[in-house]
Amino acid sequence: MLTNRSKIVVKKEMNFWERIYLPAIFGGTLITIKHLFKRKATIKFPEVKREVSVVYRGQHVLKRDEHGAERCTACGLCAVACPAEAITMTAAERKKGEEKLYREEKYASVYEINMLRCIFCGLCEEACPKEAIFLTDRIEPSDYTRKSFIFGKDKLVEPVDKRIDVTKRQTPAVLNFKKNKLFSHNR
Amino acid sequence: MAKVTIDGITVEVPDGTTILNAARQIGGEIVPPAMCYYTSLKDSGGKCRVCLVKVTQGSAKDPRPMPKLVASCRTTVADGMVIENISSPEVLEARKGVVEFLLINHPLDCPICDQAGECDLQDLSYEHGLADTRYEFERRTFEKIDIGDKIKLHMTRCILCYRCVLVANQLTEQRVHGVLDRGDRAEISTYIEKAVDNDFSGNMIDVCPVGALTDRTFRFKSRVWFTKPMDAHRNCTKCCGKVVLWTKGNDVLRVTARKDRYGEVSEFICNECRYEHKNLADWVVEGPRHINRHSVISQNHYEKIDLLKLKKEVERQLVFQKGKQLPPANQSTTYSTENGNSQTQTHA
């Protein structure tokens, strides 16, 4: 008797109206019809998108800096922070003439996130010292094969001409921190 | 023999022992950090100043305190000496200042640096450093130099500990590199970029406390915490052949000498072992190397944790955090480590 809602079942013989079931069926149909005129709980997903919070943790993006160079330096902190061990990477050294492509002398030649392992906790975003990886409000597309859920750099790095805005994800405290001169070495 | 008391723990050591080595005989948290002192290199120490301690009583005969903080790696003990290290706020404050000085010109490029994860300066600044900088001027920068085809010199990261110069002086036949210029312009260099190719020159990578001298054959291959260190040995005619293999799968990414818990190598290895045998078949693998659980390298979970040992160690730490005197570290419970990373130990 935790909820005080339990009922004692009494087995008594049904009368005529109860036995033909028609009133009960009619009552059930009435409830169904009533719901036809109520607001729908579902939306038609690919065409209509539900509004999500600005800090929603969806598909990742690897950011470029203001000149279009990749910010990621393959430091491995996201991979070591990842509780699902979904991130793997291979580093490479930047060659002469690639300064516009990569921000620092080391870059990730391979960067993969296994989206089936990822639990979207956002720890990679927090671990990143270079503001390179962010989670966005995009929802990852569905697919038929497991292989296609291993997202490489082709799917993760933002295109130069189609930048993904993440400024809303950064709280005023973070933006203030970045302006502080005392932390200017930490850029 | 001399009886000295360090942070309330008394130990008897032979005459002529330095304070640092006396503290290392006690072990645990009261050991001052050292960036330039290196046991197996003669005349090392006295340069970085992070091992400063306070001598509150000079000796039994002359109980006056020493007027200034002294470098524990260079000061020998006297009978009846009383020394304060972590129990003195003055020492901790001075150490904080020294770390700030060391970091003035040191770049914050740990995400790129191959030394990150086993860097003495990283551990030291984590424990004693500030999160911010007060330095507003242009930092000292240098071009990267390849000294030989195996070693990369990032002079910007150098803290001028002189360890590598001592390695070149004492281990190799012909020294071809040293420190040029003076004061804040001092830099480690070879004369007109002469290649360093002595048989034992690779050891300067191991003795470097920061990422100034790094292995070019391991350059950007992997972060150290994604590799698994394995103790291994082989028959070598030039050196002892006892090494640590840093492996990933069946690939040997890097070979280094074995460092003790203070990050020091006692048995140096030759260049042939270090560079030429990156193949598991060339080695007799003894087993996984013990790594301090505070080190990021232990994130790799390659070794089973001895839970009973861990419990004992944690209980010992809890006594310390209650403000009581620390029971001496049991040698069997402190692991031999790659880097004496002890972040959670001193400041609770």
Side-chain angles (χ1 to χ4, degrees):
Chain A
M1 289 286 273
L2 276 173
T3 55
N4 283 334
R5 283 191 297 189
S6 59
K7 281 178 189 164
I8 292 151
V9 181
V10 185
K11 265 200 173 177
K12 63 168 197 198
E13 200 145 302
M14 288 189 279
N15 62 24
F16 173 74
W17 288 109
E18 278 167 347
R19 238 175 322 171
I20 61 168
Y21 285 113
L22 273 177
I25 287 168
F26 185 72
T29 318
L30 210 66
I31 290 172
T32 311
I33 291 165
K34 224 193 278 175
H35 275 279
L36 282 179
F37 302 101
K38 277 192 176 167
R39 202 170 70 90
K40 277 176 200 145
T42 53
I43 54 166
K44 296 201 166 180
F45 164 61
E47 294 88 28
V48 189
K49 273 176 189 152
R50 195 183 288 280
E51 206 169 295
V52 292
S53 147
V54 284
V55 290
Y56 181 82
R57 298 194 296 266
Q59 192 189 323
H60 310 67
V61 64
L62 282 173
K63 292 291 290 176
R64 292 172 186 275
D65 70 357
E66 56 272 27
H67 306 298
E70 284 174 24
R71 300 184 71 105
C72 177
T73 65
C75 72
L77 288 184
C78 49
V80 80
C82 181
E85 299 186 359
I87 305 176
T88 50
M89 66 186 74
T90 311
E93 189 168 1
R94 183 181 69 184
K95 293 187 187 74
K96 270 212 174 105
E98 292 182 330
E99 283 82 359
K100 282 188 180 162
L101 288 175
Y102 311 109
R103 198 152 163 265
E104 313 215 14
E105 62 177 301
K106 188 172 82 167
Y107 69 93
S109 58
V110 178
Y111 190 106
E112 287 178 343
I113 302 180
N114 188 337
M115 287 298 183
L116 294 173
R117 297 199 76 158
C118 179
I119 56 168
F120 299 95
C121 63
L123 285 184
C124 48
E125 189 181 10
E126 271 186 59
C128 185
K130 295 287 174 191
E131 291 175 28
I133 191 164
F134 283 95
L135 272 70
T136 60
D137 53 5
R138 296 175 298 168
I139 292 160
E140 53 164 323
S142 53
D143 212 313
Y144 295 103
T145 57
R146 287 182 164 268
K147 213 177 168 185
S148 59
F149 281 100
I150 298 172
F151 280 24
K153 273 180 81 177
D154 53 328
K155 285 180 184 162
L156 292 171
V157 181
E158 59 175 354
V160 187
D161 48 350
K162 250 172 74 186
R163 296 301 188 86
I164 290 147
D165 187 29
V166 290
T167 44
K168 277 184 195 159
R169 302 184 66 79
Q170 294 168 314
T171 57
V174 170
L175 294 170
N176 251 339
F177 174 84
K178 285 206 277 185
K179 274 186 213 152
N180 193 332
K181 209 165 99 190
L182 285 177
F183 300 99
S184 58
H185 65 300
N186 199 1
R187 200 58 54 77
Chain B
M1 295 295 269
K3 229 179 202 173
V4 291
T5 309
I6 304 171
D7 283 339
I9 304 169
T10 308
V11 68
E12 204 165 342
V13 291
D15 290 321
T17 315
T18 58
I19 297 172
L20 183 75
N21 278 331
R24 282 185 181 183
Q25 284 193 16
I26 298 169
E29 297 71 14
I30 60 138
V31 182
M35 299 294 289
C36 63
Y37 175 76
Y38 212 78
T39 314
S40 44
L41 297 174
K42 228 174 76 193
D43 295 332
S44 62
K47 297 186 177 66
C48 67
R49 318 306 289 180
V50 294
C51 66
L52 290 177
V53 290
K54 190 178 181 182
V55 178
T56 51
Q57 187 180 320
S59 66
K61 279 182 196 158
D62 182 5
R64 285 178 299 168
M66 288 196 183
K68 288 196 283 187
L69 302 181
V70 294
S72 61
C73 63
R74 282 293 187 139
T75 313
T76 47
V77 294
D79 193 32
M81 202 182 238
V82 178
I83 298 140
E84 284 182 356
N85 179 23
I86 53 169
S87 55
S88 158
E90 193 187 342
V91 169
L92 294 178
E93 187 62 30
R95 198 163 286 156
K96 208 172 155 189
V98 171
V99 173
E100 199 174 354
F101 268 127
L102 286 178
L103 292 176
I104 276 184
N105 279 314
H106 193 85
L108 206 126
D109 62 349
C110 303
I112 304 171
C113 182
D114 275 334
Q115 189 88 358
E118 50 176 16
C119 176
D120 292 344
L121 189 60
Q122 214 178 15
D123 296 344
L124 192 71
S125 49
Y126 189 88
E127 251 184 86
H128 301 285
L130 298 166
D132 51 17
T133 178
R134 293 188 285 170
Y135 193 65
E136 293 182 352
F137 308 101
E138 191 84 350
R139 278 152 191 271
R140 191 185 66 152
T141 49
F142 294 92
E143 285 290 305
K144 286 167 285 249
I145 307 171
D146 295 337
I147 41 177
D149 59 338
K150 297 290 199 295
I151 302 173
K152 192 107 183 166
L153 169 63
H154 281 248
M155 191 53 219
T156 315
R157 294 176 187 153
C158 179
I159 58 163
L160 290 167
C161 69
Y162 281 65
R163 277 181 185 177
C164 59
V165 180
L166 294 172
V167 163
N169 256 347
Q170 294 168 20
L171 254 66
T172 62
E173 284 149 16
Q174 260 188 324
R175 176 157 76 87
V176 287
H177 87 283
V179 175
L180 306 179
D181 289 337
R182 286 185 289 177
D184 75 325
R185 298 206 187 144
E187 67 172 301
I188 287 171
S189 186
T190 60
Y191 190 58
I192 322 181
E193 297 193 16
K194 207 174 165 185
V196 178
D197 55 359
N198 282 301
D199 259 347
F200 282 82
S201 62
N203 288 300
M204 66 172 85
I205 299 166
D206 282 350
V207 299
C208 187
V210 293
L213 292 161
T214 46
D215 192 337
R216 280 185 72 193
T217 59
F218 181 61
R219 190 165 166 77
F220 300 160
K221 281 275 166 64
S222 170
R223 316 288 1 241
V224 282
W225 57 85
F226 295 133
T227 58
K228 297 183 179 186
M230 309 287 264
D231 278 337
H233 67 268
R234 67 180 273 269
N235 283 330
C236 180
T237 48
K238 292 178 202 157
C239 65
C240 61
K242 288 180 193 162
V243 298
V244 180
L245 303 178
W246 299 78
T247 59
K248 199 173 188 179
N250 281 327
D251 299 333
V252 176
L253 297 183
R254 181 172 71 148
V255 182
T256 65
R258 294 182 189 176
K259 292 181 181 176
D260 64 10
R261 89 181 88 146
Y262 301 114
E264 291 177 2
V265 175
S266 52
E267 293 175 297
F268 291 106
I269 60 166
C270 65
N271 281 4
E272 195 196 328
C273 287
R274 187 183 298 273
Y275 302 125
E276 311 295 334
H277 295 280
K278 297 208 170 176
N279 186 355
L280 265 186
D282 292 350
W283 299 93
V284 182
V285 177
E286 291 158 26
R289 186 165 182 79
H290 290 292
I291 296 292
N292 189 323
R293 68 186 174 89
H294 298 299
S295 168
V296 69
I297 301 170
S298 68
Q299 279 297 304
N300 214 347
H301 307 301
Y302 68 94
E303 194 188 33
K304 259 194 178 166
I305 303 168
D306 190 337
L307 285 173
L308 281 175
K309 265 188 191 175
L310 193 68
K311 190 172 167 240
K312 261 189 206 164
E313 181 64 21
V314 169
E315 278 167 358
R316 204 178 70 87
Q317 297 292 337
L318 285 176
V319 172
F320 179 68
Q321 287 173 7
K322 275 179 194 157
K324 286 181 191 159
Q325 187 151 89
L326 198 68
N330 187 352
Q331 295 303 319
S332 61
T333 56
T334 48
Y335 315 111
S336 67
T337 60
E338 292 306 307
N339 52 342
N341 194 336
S342 53
Q343 292 147 9
T344 60
Q345 296 181 349
T346 42
H347 304 290

